[in-house]
Amino acid sequence: MRDYLVKRILQAFAVVLCISAITFFVLNIVPGDPVRIMMGDNADDATVEQVRHSMGLDKPVLEQYTQWFAKLVRGDFGESYTQHKPVSALIAKALVVTLTLALSSYVVALVVGIAVGVCAAVYHGKAIDRVLMSLAVFGISAPSFWVAIVIQIIFALNLRWFPLSGVKTALSFVLPTCALSCRYAASIARVTRTAMVDQLGQDFMRTAAAKGLTGARIIICHGLRCALIPIITIAGAQLGDILCGSLITESVFAMPGMGKLILDAITARDLPLIEGVVMYISILCVFVYLLVDVLYTVVDPRIRLAKDREE
């Protein structure tokens, strides 16, 4: 198990290294001078060149990348060109809003998705199954920003049950959470139903029923447990997705999270801030996929043994 974990961690580090290089070099070849944008059109060329030199932007790109990555390893993302604050401090402040929205949406998606999927599988082929799966198809098809706008109009503008935008109270997270979790709950429900239908027809399920176990215990302890692999796969992939998808929902509800931060940074061509946000998202997603990979081996050790034989 130790060798397996070491291999996966080294692979994850290699992925982060590649992403950092691609992000840095692509941003540095995109047209537009960040110093000129920061100083304004009225600044003379001598002043612009002086500021560029003081910021180290006149050095070769490879040297800039080496210095930036060395700071990145130490947890230093640099200083924002426009806000003149450490990038890590700006990300930490916005991260509170983004993580609150993303994690609450993820929990709702997991609970609702698994519950709906199990219910549909138990009543497979009946009216309730068809209704639930029709709703799941609608949930997958509807973009989160469209759902966000619709529920804003209904529950915020017309009924006035919840705040329209901002994060003044805990109620401000209710509508964004519903909008963001809708699509992910629908995906989890469909995968759970398929996996559970597969398991409910197995011999060991009939054996468990013959032993006199209750229906709920058979479904949860035997059926759901054996159906966890595909559920973990979709749930793990969606955790990385939901952290990125929350950026769009944040913009619709005008929430001061990572979405607003990255949009402002792109508009001002604030390279350290853009690079910092991209690296945060990348590292988070790589960590989630690494965690999912490890969870596979915990749920079913045969997966680890098969991978070891392949390698």
Side-chain angles (χ1 to χ4, degrees):
M1 184 63 177
R2 185 182 62 186
D3 293 342
Y4 175 80
L5 286 176
V6 169
K7 289 178 184 176
R8 292 296 176 266
I9 291 171
L10 289 175
Q11 289 172 357
F13 180 78
V15 170
V16 171
L17 181 62
C18 291
I19 291 172
S20 70
I22 293 171
T23 301
F24 188 88
F25 288 112
V26 167
L27 287 176
N28 275 274
I29 63 174
V30 171
D33 186 354
V35 178
R36 175 63 69 179
I37 295 173
M38 181 176 61
M39 299 293 292
D41 295 332
N42 295 327
D44 59 273
D45 293 340
T47 304
V48 170
E49 286 302 322
Q50 185 179 356
V51 173
R52 184 180 289 110
H53 176 73
S54 66
M55 297 171 68
L57 295 178
D58 56 346
K59 297 178 181 177
V61 177
L62 187 59
E63 185 179 344
Q64 290 182 46
Y65 171 72
T66 305
Q67 293 176 353
W68 173 76
F69 188 77
K71 291 180 179 178
L72 180 66
V73 172
R74 299 195 299 269
D76 181 5
F77 289 89
E79 185 176 289
S80 168
Y81 290 164
T82 55
Q83 302 190 44
H84 306 292
K85 295 179 181 178
V87 171
S88 54
L90 294 172
I91 291 177
K93 185 178 178 181
L95 194 56
V96 175
V97 176
T98 297
L99 283 183
T100 302
L101 173 59
L103 293 180
S104 60
S105 302
Y106 188 68
V107 170
V108 170
L110 270 180
V111 172
V112 173
I114 292 176
V116 168
V118 170
C119 183
V122 170
Y123 295 98
H124 174 57
K126 298 182 180 178
I128 189 170
D129 176 29
R130 290 192 287 272
V131 170
L132 290 176
M133 286 303 100
S134 297
L135 291 174
V137 170
F138 174 77
I140 293 173
S141 306
S144 59
F145 71 86
W146 179 81
V147 175
I149 294 171
V150 169
I151 63 176
Q152 264 186 328
I153 294 171
I154 296 173
F155 296 103
L157 289 176
N158 293 336
L159 298 177
R160 299 183 182 278
W161 288 356
F162 302 100
L164 180 64
S165 60
V167 288
K168 294 179 181 178
T169 64
L171 286 176
S172 302
F173 286 94
V174 174
L175 293 184
T177 296
C178 293
L180 185 59
S181 63
C182 179
R183 183 179 179 218
Y184 300 103
S187 299
I188 292 173
R190 286 178 60 83
V191 171
T192 302
R193 175 189 176 275
T194 303
M196 283 295 295
V197 167
D198 244 6
Q199 297 302 323
L200 291 176
Q202 298 296 323
D203 291 338
F204 70 86
M205 296 292 287
R206 288 188 286 271
T207 303
K211 287 180 178 180
L213 297 179
T214 61
R217 187 175 178 184
I218 293 171
I219 292 169
I220 295 173
C221 297
H222 294 273
L224 186 58
R225 182 180 178 183
C226 294
L228 279 179
I229 292 295
I231 296 174
I232 288 175
T233 302
I234 187 71
Q238 287 187 345
L239 180 55
D241 249 9
I242 211 166
L243 287 164
C244 302
S246 64
L247 306 185
I248 299 173
T249 306
E250 286 173 11
S251 300
V252 175
F253 287 93
M255 304 176 78
M258 298 291 287
K260 184 176 185 302
L261 192 65
I262 188 66
L263 287 175
D264 290 346
I266 291 171
T267 303
R269 204 166 188 273
D270 193 336
L271 297 185
L273 192 52
I274 298 173
E275 291 159 357
V277 174
V278 170
M279 289 309 301
Y280 146 75
I281 294 173
S282 304
I283 292 170
L284 204 55
C285 289
V286 169
F287 174 76
V288 168
Y289 295 136
L290 175 63
L291 185 62
V292 170
D293 209 13
V294 173
L295 278 177
Y296 284 161
T297 66
V298 174
V299 174
D300 190 352
R302 293 174 299 177
I303 294 176
R304 180 176 70 249
L305 296 174
K307 288 182 177 179
D308 288 341
R309 283 196 295 269
E310 288 175 5
E311 295 173 358

